[in-house]
Amino acid sequence: LSNINQTMDSNMTIVRPAYFIIMGFSGIPYINYYYFFLLVLYIMSVAENGIVMALICLDQSLKTPKYIAVFNLAFVDVLGNSALVPKVIDTFWFNNKYISYSNCLTYEFFNFLTLTMQSLNLVVLSFDRLVAITFPLRYQIIVSLKNMFSLVASLWIFSILGNLIAVGLLTRLSYCRSVVINSYFCDHGPLYKLACNDNQPNVIFAILLTTVILWVPLLFILITYMCIGAALAKIAKAKDRMKAFKTCSAHIMLVTIYYLPILVTFSFEAKMSRNTRIINMSLAAVLPPALNPLIYVLQTQEIKKSLKKVFKRIRQSRIAVHAANY
């Protein structure tokens, strides 16, 4: 390794490279078309989530606990894609595969922070639907604006602290063999596997964090929908059951889009080639933020009504301007 910075610990020498090399894909023809596809998804996600956040801010009828969680999901989607996609384009499309040690750790922190919050946001939305359907008379008390703000803030604090610990544990690792990261960004697993000293604390914390931010939320969501299903079964009229279920349809689609690619990758990772794994995980990171706003626009009546109001105001303002000119 060239240009290696060495810092002395009390017991050992920690070797920190000046840079890492992100290898990413290998030998895929016409791969630039895939980078262009990611860029299109990124532009879509920023525009769509921006519209959703603007609607929630401007429309008083959307200032409800549920839409605090929706706004937070849109914000996290924009933040996550903005942290990931431009750097991926710069790394592979423009062949800037070298990244400094400190920038790599920062890159990893923000990517995993947003992935954590995406998962926990789905838990918040499932909790909202559970209370709305199983305890409708107590919904305003249990899921108040104050409680929702507190819950979302708590999840941000938890996510930040958890990912800071994960990054902090990386700083104790010594990189004296290789600086090549076999992923499409500064991925946590490939990073600690490069270490030539004891990485057991990193392995343990990675398993713990993955369980807390992925498997526990998924289990909670599944239990939530079992409870919702039991509550819906008690409703006598099929029409009322379907009406109540439709309020959950958008969230079910979000959960499927987010968790399915991740579950497929975890289940078949040993049989996947590096290129297949990277494509699957990059789509899992970029595709949900582009589709989430479309799902909410198409599936929720409140957003549809808000959009109609906006279009009506625009039409009326154009008519007023046209009349003033004549």
Side-chain angles (χ1 to χ4, degrees):
L1 297 176
S2 62
N3 300 324
I4 290 180
N5 298 324
Q6 296 188 349
T7 58
M8 295 299 296
D9 193 22
S10 58
N11 298 321
M12 62 176 293
T13 301
I14 302 297
V15 181
R16 292 175 182 163
Y19 57 83
F20 288 102
I21 303 171
I22 304 175
M23 284 304 296
F25 304 100
S26 176
I28 300 180
Y30 309 109
I31 190 61
N32 283 343
Y33 290 110
Y34 181 68
Y35 303 143
F36 179 74
F37 175 63
L38 293 181
L39 181 61
V40 170
L41 289 178
Y42 170 64
I43 295 170
M44 284 176 56
S45 70
V46 171
E48 293 164 1
N49 284 293
I51 291 171
V52 171
M53 287 189 287
L55 287 173
I56 295 172
C57 288
L58 297 173
D59 193 338
Q60 290 295 324
S61 66
L62 295 180
K63 288 181 171 59
T64 62
K66 174 185 174 182
Y67 283 98
I68 291 173
V70 173
F71 181 93
N72 192 51
L73 180 62
F75 172 74
V76 169
D77 285 345
V78 171
L79 180 64
N81 262 2
S82 297
L84 178 66
V85 178
K87 185 59 182 174
V88 169
I89 298 298
D90 179 62
T91 300
F92 300 112
W93 205 344
F94 297 102
N95 202 33
N96 295 320
K97 295 185 178 181
Y98 291 82
I99 184 170
S100 69
Y101 177 86
S102 58
N103 285 346
C104 188
L105 296 189
T106 304
Y107 189 20
E108 190 248 334
F109 170 76
F110 279 103
N111 276 291
F112 278 95
L113 173 64
T114 54
L115 287 172
T116 302
M117 282 304 301
Q118 284 174 344
S119 179
L120 297 180
N121 261 312
L122 294 175
V123 171
V124 174
L125 288 168
S126 69
F127 173 71
D128 175 84
R129 291 300 84 202
L130 174 67
V131 177
I133 292 174
T134 56
F135 306 105
L137 299 179
R138 300 181 61 191
Y139 177 81
Q140 297 295 335
I141 299 172
I142 299 174
V143 191
S144 64
L145 284 170
K146 180 181 177 181
N147 290 343
M148 182 59 79
F149 271 120
S150 299
L151 178 58
V152 170
S154 299
L155 293 179
W156 270 106
I157 293 170
F158 169 79
S159 300
I160 290 170
L161 290 177
N163 284 283
L164 279 176
I165 293 171
V167 171
L169 288 173
L170 289 174
T171 62
R172 57 173 290 281
L173 297 180
S174 186
Y175 298 92
C176 54
R177 287 196 299 263
S178 174
V179 293
V180 177
I181 301 172
N182 291 315
S183 187
Y184 65 102
F185 73 108
C186 289
D187 202 344
H188 186 251
L191 260 177
Y192 72 67
K193 289 176 183 177
L194 291 176
C196 53
N197 60 338
D198 180 27
N199 64 3
Q200 196 62 28
N202 302 80
V203 176
I204 294 171
F205 192 77
I207 294 171
L208 177 63
L209 197 60
T210 301
T211 301
V212 172
I213 68 175
L214 188 65
W215 303 120
V216 171
L218 181 58
L219 180 62
F220 178 85
I221 291 169
L222 292 175
I223 292 172
T224 295
Y225 276 102
M226 290 173 63
C227 296
I228 289 173
L232 292 178
K234 296 177 182 178
I235 299 176
K237 295 182 180 179
K239 183 179 179 180
D240 293 335
R241 286 200 300 270
M242 185 56 64
K243 184 178 179 180
F245 179 76
K246 280 184 177 180
T247 65
C248 303
S249 59
H251 180 257
I252 292 172
M253 293 176 71
L254 297 187
V255 170
T256 303
I257 291 169
Y258 179 81
Y259 284 105
L260 187 60
I262 296 173
L263 291 174
V264 169
T265 302
F266 272 83
S267 300
F268 301 100
E269 186 174 10
K271 299 179 181 179
M272 284 183 176
S273 65
R274 187 179 77 185
N275 288 336
T276 303
R277 179 180 60 82
I278 291 175
I279 288 176
N280 201 43
M281 291 308 294
S282 59
L283 285 177
V286 178
L287 200 56
L291 296 181
N292 290 350
L294 292 177
I295 291 170
Y296 264 101
V297 169
L298 295 174
Q299 296 292 326
T300 55
Q301 293 299 321
E302 297 94 337
I303 294 286
K304 288 180 182 178
K305 289 178 182 178
S306 183
L307 277 174
K308 288 178 181 178
K309 289 179 185 177
V310 170
F311 288 136
K312 185 177 180 180
R313 289 173 189 170
I314 294 173
R315 190 164 55 248
Q316 288 174 345
S317 64
R318 285 181 177 177
I319 293 172
V321 170
H322 184 76
N325 291 334
Y326 288 94

